[in-house]
Amino acid sequence: TTSLPCARIAAADTGHHPVRGNTEVTEIPAGGGQPVVRPGGPTPGSTAVAGGGGDYLSNEIAYRNTLLRDA
């Protein structure tokens, strides 16, 4: 969870680089089993296998800074 105004951030005009919320994760549910893809983020007690930065604003900032630096 985050206290950031996610809807406002996603709706902001950011030019050529739109903000996209990516909450999809691949996890092993609590108690084990096969990996499962969940579009709405991890479930309590699960073990992450793969996923994006989700609600971490620092990941978005790092991506944009790297993009600008490399350009």
Side-chain angles (χ1 to χ4, degrees), residues 23-67:
T23 59
E24 183 178 284
V25 298
T26 302
E27 67 178 14
I28 297 174
Q34 296 298 313
V36 176
V37 176
R38 299 214 190 272
T43 55
S46 65
T47 301
V49 175
D55 290 340
Y56 293 109
L57 183 59
S58 61
N59 289 349
E60 179 71 19
I61 292 168
Y63 170 78
R64 288 172 187 253
N65 284 334
T66 301
L67 186 68

